[in-house]
Amino acid sequence: MHRKVRRAGYASLALSGVLHALAPRLSLRLAARTWLTGFENTGDVEPKDWFATAMRAAGVGMAAAGLAGFLLEGASAEPSTDDESAIEMDPEPSG
């Protein structure tokens, strides 16, 4: 069950990153509506250009991290092909 939840988290991170990378002003407007719910005139809040650029860069990073996590989670689910033998430990030290 934990694997499914992690994969869903990675997928949502990747999708959120794509939204931030492709439409940073739209994502900032949506974030302002949710973050500033108790304030007046939230529709008048306009991000500066450098902040929208930073949001785009953060979105690219979020998308890359989400995709990498999703792919690595899928790769770890595959059975190992190496012939790994269990290491037996002697409970009493010799010597």
Side-chain angles (χ1 to χ4, degrees):
M1 179 174 136
H2 294 288
R3 179 167 285 145
K4 289 181 182 181
V5 173
R6 281 193 307 262
R7 289 185 71 153
Y10 291 138
S12 67
L13 179 65
L15 289 174
S16 177
V18 168
L19 172 67
H20 290 334
L22 296 179
R25 292 194 181 275
L26 174 65
S27 65
L28 285 170
R29 214 174 345 202
L30 292 173
R33 280 191 179 171
T34 57
W35 294 338
L36 304 174
T37 301
F39 294 91
E40 295 179 5
N41 301 328
T42 58
D44 297 338
V45 176
E46 191 66 30
K48 295 187 177 188
D49 290 335
W50 66 267
F51 194 71
T53 303
M55 181 61 77
R56 184 180 306 265
V60 170
M62 288 168 54
L67 287 175
F70 191 79
L71 293 175
L72 289 174
E73 187 68 29
S76 70
E78 297 174 3
S80 177
T81 58
D82 295 337
D83 218 4
E84 297 178 10
S85 60
I87 299 174
E88 293 183 25
M89 299 194 64
D90 189 14
E92 297 179 23
S94 61

